[in-house]
Structures are given as structure tokens and as C-alpha cells.
Amino acid sequence: MKMVEFTRDMRPHRAGETRVVPDVVADKLIADGKAKLRDSVFDKTSSQSAVPTVGKAYKTRKRK
């Protein structure tokens, strides 16, 4: 199973939607230019960083 993002409207899917499809179907869609391969957020080999970004710590105001 591969995650793809559709590049054009194809009923019942719209351009920009991300779906998981079987490998054979994904390869055919990518070869035809109707979709592009998307990395999963759970995929360890993705180009995204595996380390989450950390924001500022929450601070409470002093009591009067």
C-alpha cells in the first residue's frame, strides 16, 4: 500500500486529496501523471524530521 496525492480530479477523488491505494494502482497513477507519491508521517525514511519541534514552555502569571 502506498500513499498518493491526486494531481487531477478523478471521481470520487479530487485533486489534492491524499489516499492510500494498492502498490499496483499507485504505480499506474504515478506513471500516468495522475498522482504523486506522498511520504507517510509514520514512514521512517521520509524527508521530514523524526524529532518533533518543541515550542516555548507555558508560564503562569504571578498571583498578587
Side-chain angles (χ1 to χ4, degrees):
M1 300 294 274
K2 292 182 181 178
M3 185 178 294
V4 296
E5 179 181 340
F6 290 93
T7 57
R8 55 178 283 204
D9 289 343
M10 295 174 32
R11 286 188 178 163
H13 309 293
R14 295 185 149 274
E17 284 187 3
T18 303
R19 298 281 186 221
V20 176
V21 295
D23 292 341
V24 176
V25 176
D27 293 338
K28 176 75 172 145
L29 289 170
I30 292 168
D32 292 343
K34 297 177 181 176
K36 60 184 178 180
L37 187 62
R38 290 290 306 247
D39 289 335
S40 170
V41 293
F42 302 107
D43 195 7
K44 298 292 183 190
T45 61
S46 73
S47 59
Q48 299 171 350
S49 174
V51 179
T53 57
V54 179
K56 293 182 179 179
Y58 179 77
K59 294 183 180 179
T60 57
R61 297 185 336 185
K62 286 185 177 180
R63 291 188 176 185
K64 293 183 181 182

